[in-house]
């Protein structure tokens, strides 16, 4: 949970539907699946809001050598875990944008540019963005994603940044929104609602 | 792919046959060289030194030290705490097809405190050279690549000295990924001799700083191809009165190198005796108090044989020698070459992609200055052709 913007990556490739950023954050700061982020676009006139759907830590032959060595020195383990330039790749689904402090939950007009900074949304920003839930169908419509898990993680994240007495109401409303889109697949809806239940 | 491998298949087969024949011939020579090593080890060392003095200025062999030439030393105990320092460098050479004329030297370095459990400290120091005096140091011609490589070598040793200066407490071992002699010193005519002297002075000053810090210094040469010891064995077998350039050239161990000989003699972790290097560059370094010796080491990783170069002041100091020997064996344990050198290389290397990123930034800043610059059309076409397919391992965009 963040109060201030935390730089989590820089954009390496992008489209209007999604963007991928690379970072080398130490472990505790690696953002989590289903959390929200933002990257500037249109030369700073707008911000694209992303939902993290994949986090990938690359390896290389050097790391594999250390991994298979018998009793590798602790210093080498620490080096490979904390210091080496092994990028963490963060893939984000574009679920909205912000222009002049107003959030819109649609595909953004333009993607961010290469090497633009990606920040985690602050708690206040997550609360404000998830005041509406029009981003949910964008997630269901995205091809090839674990959409139900991603929606669940995003909604639970959004619930956690709210006051305790608001969480239950928020999740009930979120369940209603999901029901609108999954009413033709009741077993799936049931699974999703069960996983949203606090 | 433009290389038609199919058309090369018969040539590759011939090449493999020739290589197999050469290996068989050389295998046949190794026991003879081994026999010569043991035979001459029992002789009066003074006799061999006298023969070396008759071999002339152009002979590039080894000279024995205080250790018997066939001596073998097992790995000393690995210290529970020691610091390994590594530095390496890389460069971008000036390219007239680039956006602008410049060159870059990047040094990478790492400090591993063995026994601490702490993550190592890493650093890289990139520096870009673009001023007239950098690019045209003699006034007219563009700086030669050999000069830039020498500047990189000097920067590597300076970086090791910086790390050694800052290292306190545990004994420390400073490693370079190459021999320790500054190659450019023997290349008079490539760059002005005043510049060679300046580079050499700076390099040796860094070596002195490492010596003063109490650290051991060593250069690690993987897959060595030198034959200094082999040449010495041939010389040792010649009667004094028959020593001539012609006799020295016509030796029975042609193409056999020291690595092949010592791969037969050394078991995991063992090192050979130390030897001195006969060369004008080493003479020069000796006068400055940093004459170079070498020995061969089985690093213990897949029976890899490395040549280790050390200054005289390390070779003649038992504690520093033990640290070099044990420290390198420990450093090679997981990766086959000293870990600090593998990582320093990673920190120093400038990839093609790094270079393109640098040039994109350069283009943006030049445009801010109102300069419209582009790479040459030849370079652009090469990049189009060299792009290849994107890796399938990358996660896809939706």
């Amino acid at each position: 949970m963040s109060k201030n913007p935390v730089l989590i990556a820089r954009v390496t490739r992008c489209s209007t539907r999604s963007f991928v950023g690379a970072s080398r954050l130490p472990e505790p700061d690696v953002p989590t699946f289903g959390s929200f982020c933002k990257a500037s676009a249109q030369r700073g006139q707008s911000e694209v809001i992303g939902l993290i759907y994949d986090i990938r830590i690359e390896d290389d032959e050097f790391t594999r050598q250390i991994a298979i060595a018998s009793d590798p020195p602790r210093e080498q383990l620490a080096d490979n875990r904390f210091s080496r330039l092994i990028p963490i790749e963060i893939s984000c689904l574009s679920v909205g944008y912000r222009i002049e402090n107003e959030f819109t939950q649609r595909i953004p007009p333009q993607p961010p540019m290469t090497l633009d900074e990606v920040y985690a949304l602050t708690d206040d920003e997550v609360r404000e963005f998830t005041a509406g839930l029009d981003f949910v169908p964008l997630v269901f419509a995205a091809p090839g994603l674990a959409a139900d898990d991603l929606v669940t993680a995003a909604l639970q994240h959004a619930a956690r940044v709210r006051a305790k007495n608001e969480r239950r109401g928020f999740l009930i409303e979120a369940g209603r929104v999901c029901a609108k889109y999954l009413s033709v697949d009741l077993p799936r809806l049931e699974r999703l609602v069960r996983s949203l239940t606090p | 792919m433009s290389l038609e491998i199919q058309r090369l298949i018969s040539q590759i087969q011939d090449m493999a046959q020739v290589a197999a024949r050469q290996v068989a011939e050389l295998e046949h020579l190794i026991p003879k060289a081994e026999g010569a090593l043991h035979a001459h080890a029992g002789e009066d060392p003074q006799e061999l030194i006298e023969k070396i003095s008759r071999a002339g200025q152009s002979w590039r062999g080894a000279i024995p030290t205080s250790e018997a030439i066939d001596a073998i030393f097992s790995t000393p105990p690995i210290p529970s705490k020691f610091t390994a320092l590594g530095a390496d460098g890389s460069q971008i050479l000036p390219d007239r097809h680039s956006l602008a004329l410049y060159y870059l030297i990047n040094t990478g370095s790492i400090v591993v405190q063995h026994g601490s459990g702490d993550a190592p400290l890493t650093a890289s120091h990139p520096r870009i050279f673009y001023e007239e005096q950098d690019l045209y140091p003699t006034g007219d011609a563009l700086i030669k690549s050999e000069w830039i490589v020498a500047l990189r070598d000097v920067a590597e040793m300076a970086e090791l000295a910086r790390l050694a200066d800052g290292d306190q407490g545990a004994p420390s071992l400073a490693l370079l990924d190459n021999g320790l002699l500054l190659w450019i010193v023997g290349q008079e005519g490539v760059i002005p001799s005043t510049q060679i002297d300046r580079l050499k002075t700076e390099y040796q000053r860094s070596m002195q700083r490492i010596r003063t810090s109490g650290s051991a210094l060593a250069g690690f040469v993987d897959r060595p191809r030198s034959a200094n010891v082999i040449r010495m064995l041939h010389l040792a077998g010649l009667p004094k009165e028959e020593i001539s350039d012609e006799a020295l050239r016509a030796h029975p161990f042609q193409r056999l190198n020291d690595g092949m000989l010592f791969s037969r003699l050394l078991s995991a972790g063992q090192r050979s005796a130390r030897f001195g290097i006969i060369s004008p560059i080493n003479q020069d370094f000796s006068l400055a108090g940093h004459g170079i010796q070498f020995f061969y080491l089985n690093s213990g990783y897949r029976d890899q044989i490395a040549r280790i170069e050390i200054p005289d002041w390390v070779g003649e100091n038992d504690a520093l020698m033990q640290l070099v020997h044990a420290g390198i064996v420990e450093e090679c344990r997981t990766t086959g070459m000293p870990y600090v050198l593998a990582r320093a290389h990673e920190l120093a290397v400038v990839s093609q992609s790094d270079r393109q990123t640098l040039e994109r930034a350069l283009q943006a800043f030049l445009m801010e200055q109102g300069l419209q610059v582009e790479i040459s059309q030849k370079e652009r076409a090469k990049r189009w052709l060299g792009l290849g397919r994107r890796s399938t391992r990358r996660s896809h965009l939706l």
Side-chain angles (χ1 to χ4, degrees), chain B residues 292-313:
Chain B
I292 301 301
Q293 305 179 1
F294 68 92
F295 62 86
Y296 290 92
L297 173 73
N298 179 328
S299 72
Y301 187 91
R302 298 182 185 170
D303 280 333
Q304 170 208 40
I305 297 291
R307 174 178 160 121
I308 311 299
E309 293 197 0
I310 45 171
D312 290 335
W313 47 265

Side-chain angles (χ1 to χ4, degrees), chain B residues 241-267:
Chain B
E241 56 284 2
E242 286 181 23
I243 295 172
S244 66
D245 286 351
E246 198 180 5
L248 290 170
R249 271 196 302 273
H251 74 77
F253 304 124
Q254 294 283 5
R255 289 191 300 281
L256 194 64
N257 64 48
D258 296 352
M260 294 171 182
L261 171 62
F262 285 104
S263 67
R264 177 70 65 97
L265 296 171
L266 301 175
S267 303

Side-chain angles (χ1 to χ4, degrees), chain B residues 5-6 20 72 76 99 101 111 113 125 132 162 217 261 284 330 350 369 375 393:
Chain B
I5 296 289
Q6 267 320 99
I72 288 175
L99 292 169
L101 214 46
V111 179
Q113 290 174 322
H125 303 283
E132 284 279 308
R162 184 186 73 82
L217 170 64
L261 171 62
D284 199 311
E330 173 61 11
V350 182
Q369 297 297 317
I375 55 173
R393 287 190 67 203

Side-chain angles (χ1 to χ4, degrees), chain A residues 13-15 17-20 53-54 56 58-60 62 65-66 69-76 78-80 82-85 89 91 93 115 142-143 145, chain B residues 81 110 112-122 301-302 330-336 339-340 342-343 346-347 357 360 390 392-398:
Chain A
R13 55 190 190 278
C14 44
S15 73
R17 296 292 302 275
S18 64
F19 53 95
V20 173
Y53 67 83
D54 193 22
R56 180 185 288 237
E58 298 288 341
D59 68 350
D60 58 12
F62 193 75
Q65 288 298 316
I66 307 288
S70 63
D71 190 24
R74 289 174 299 149
E75 300 77 24
Q76 291 182 13
D79 187 35
N80 280 272
F82 304 120
S83 308
R84 280 194 69 219
L85 297 166
E89 205 172 67
S91 301
L93 178 71
L115 298 183
L145 293 189
Chain B
K81 282 184 186 288
I110 179 166
V112 176
Q113 290 174 322
H114 285 265
S116 70
D118 296 340
L121 301 172
T122 58
Y301 187 91
R302 298 182 185 170
E330 173 61 11
E331 277 277 311
C332 288
R333 193 160 60 80
T334 50
T335 49
Y339 184 85
V340 289
R343 285 285 283 118
E346 184 181 40
L347 291 158
T357 306
R360 276 199 295 273
R390 307 189 88 174
T392 51
R393 287 190 67 203
R394 289 145 53 110
S395 56
H396 65 285
L397 283 167
L398 296 169

Side-chain angles (χ1 to χ4, degrees), chain A residues 43-75:
Chain A
R43 290 180 176 242
Q45 290 177 40
S46 67
E47 284 176 320
V48 176
I49 308 302
L51 182 59
I52 295 171
Y53 67 83
D54 193 22
I55 300 165
R56 180 185 288 237
I57 299 173
E58 298 288 341
D59 68 350
D60 58 12
E61 194 51 47
F62 193 75
T63 314
R64 282 192 282 272
Q65 288 298 316
I66 307 288
I68 61 173
S70 63
D71 190 24
R74 289 174 299 149
E75 300 77 24

